[in-house]
């Protein structure tokens, strides 16, 4: 039991430190949990467990790759290969414990063996894709026929590597997937808005997605948060429609996001404050109590003589 306590202490210290380290950890769960009599070995821990925007790394930050592989010798070999390529790794031998770690930490990529002792690989992939910070996933499997490859890719895997693998090819594919993920993550501001979204008008102000700014009369500018931008864009795209809170949350945060209605209301209140601070009341955005919001631009209202709202 003392060794478990020491392992946990080392894990916490490593997470708080500024340099990478190798810590003693119970083989198979990656965090010193489970059977206290299990064999101990060394696994590589990430530099930090603090979440940060997807793939927004400093030049010194090592991408974190979670290896989910029930073959212990292969898992250790993979960890060595990835470490030598400049990647941080965390090893798991079961899907359930790996999912718990991925859900609580910020992971860049998962290297997944679909044949696990406790969960089917496609089920693990499905759970990963439901996360708000879903990492890239590469399948690593001996079942490399066309049917299995197609099934994995159609289910949402970013790539597929057959066993036995060539280390150089695997590293190259990991780097390629990370590059694609970084590009997508950098341009996407919210689920429904990206840096390339065109400038649009909202209640007489210009909304500039690429700068995350509101521009009012006289060139006065106000900085927006990403979620505020996503809310404005969805309301702008659905004028004259009553939008439920759940619908708005799904549009901005994603279908599986665990966001409460009260949090959404707070973002909307910040948007109202921004307009009022610049002398423009947001009367065109109405709160429909118990349902959601209704945005009716002034120009649309005058042209239609105050038409009735539609329900989304």
């Amino acid at each position: 039991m003392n060794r478990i306590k020491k392992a946990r202490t080392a894990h916490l210290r490593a997470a708080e430190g500024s340099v990478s380290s190798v810590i003693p950890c119970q083989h198979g769960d990656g965090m010193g949990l489970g059977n206290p009599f299990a064999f101990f070995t060394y696994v590589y821990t990430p530099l930090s467990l603090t979440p940060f925007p997807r793939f927004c790394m400093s030049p010194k930050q090592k991408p974190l790759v979670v290896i989910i592989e029930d073959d212990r010798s292969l898992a250790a070999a993979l960890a060595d290969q990835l470490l030598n390529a400049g990647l941080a790794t965390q090893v798991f031998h079961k899907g359930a414990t790996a999912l718990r770690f991925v859900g609580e930490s910020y992971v860049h990529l998962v290297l997944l063996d679909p044949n696990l002792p406790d969960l089917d690989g496609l089920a693990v992939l499905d759970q990963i894709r439901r996360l708000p910070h879903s990492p890239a996933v590469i399948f690593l499997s001996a079942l490399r026929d066309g049917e299995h490859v197609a099934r994995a890719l159609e289910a949402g895997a970013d790539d597929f590597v057959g066993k036995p693998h060539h280390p150089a090819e695997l590293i190259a594919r990991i780097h390629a997937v990370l590059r694609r993920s970084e590009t997508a993550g950098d341009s996407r501001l919210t689920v429904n808005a990206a840096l390339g979204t065109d400038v649009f008008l909202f209640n007489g102000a210009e909304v500039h997605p690429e700068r995350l700014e509101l521009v009012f009369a006289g060139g006065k500018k106000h900085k927006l948060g990403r979620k505020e931008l996503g809310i404005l864009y969805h309301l702008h795209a659905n004028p004259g429609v009553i939008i439920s809170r759940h619908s708005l949350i799904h549009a901005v945060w994603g279908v599986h996001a665990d966001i409460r209605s009260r949090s959404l209301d707070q973002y909307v209140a910040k948007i109202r404050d921004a307009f009022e601070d610049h002398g423009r009341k947001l009367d065109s955005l109405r709160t429909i109590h118990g349902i959601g919001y209704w945005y009716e631009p002034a120009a649309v209202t005058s042209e239609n003589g105050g038409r009735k709202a539609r329900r989304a």
Side-chain angles (χ1 to χ4, degrees), residues 103-120:
E104 295 173 353
S105 312
Y106 199 88
V107 175
H108 296 89
L109 185 142
V110 173
L111 193 58
L112 174 62
D113 174 6
N115 298 310
L116 299 171
D118 61 334
L119 294 175
D120 176 73

Side-chain angles (χ1 to χ4, degrees), residues 182-197:
E182 183 173 5
T183 301
D186 284 347
S187 64
R188 181 61 53 184
L189 297 172
T190 62
V191 171
N192 65 329
L195 288 172
T197 300

Side-chain angles (χ1 to χ4, degrees), residues 181-238:
S181 299
E182 183 173 5
T183 301
D186 284 347
S187 64
R188 181 61 53 184
L189 297 172
T190 62
V191 171
N192 65 329
L195 288 172
T197 300
D198 291 337
V199 175
F200 60 93
L201 289 176
F202 194 94
N203 197 53
E206 292 183 353
V207 184
H208 292 255
E210 80 283 1
R211 301 202 305 261
L212 285 171
E213 279 183 346
L214 281 172
V215 180
F216 294 91
K220 296 179 180 179
K221 299 177 181 179
H222 179 90
K223 282 295 183 181
L224 286 171
R226 294 186 177 210
K227 303 308 181 188
E228 294 157 28
L229 170 69
I231 292 168
L232 288 173
Y233 184 71
H234 191 67
L235 293 170
H236 159 76
N238 296 279

Side-chain angles (χ1 to χ4, degrees), residues 84-107:
N84 291 333
L87 301 166
T89 65
Q90 187 78 50
V91 174
F92 296 90
H93 303 305
K94 291 185 178 180
T97 47
L99 283 173
R100 189 157 59 244
F101 178 84
V102 173
E104 295 173 353
S105 312
Y106 199 88
V107 175

Side-chain angles (χ1 to χ4, degrees), residues 286-300:
R286 307 180 192 178
T287 299
I288 310 300
H289 293 288
I291 301 176
Y293 296 96
W294 173 28
Y295 174 59
E296 186 75 358
V300 175

Side-chain angles (χ1 to χ4, degrees), residues 239-281:
V241 177
I242 295 176
I243 301 173
S244 71
R245 286 178 171 83
H246 289 302
S247 175
L248 188 50
I249 288 171
H250 291 170
V252 178
W253 279 268
V255 175
H256 301 291
D258 184 18
I259 303 296
R260 298 184 182 276
S261 296
R262 186 173 180 179
S263 297
L264 172 62
D265 293 341
Q266 290 172 346
Y267 278 103
V268 173
K270 289 177 66 177
I271 291 172
R272 291 189 188 278
D273 290 343
F275 278 85
E276 290 182 5
D277 289 345
H278 290 83
R280 294 194 66 89
K281 287 191 175 181

Side-chain angles (χ1 to χ4, degrees), residues 124-136:
V124 174
L125 175 61
D126 179 66
Q127 290 299 313
I128 290 174
R129 288 291 173 253
R130 292 172 183 267
L131 296 172
H133 55 281
S134 177

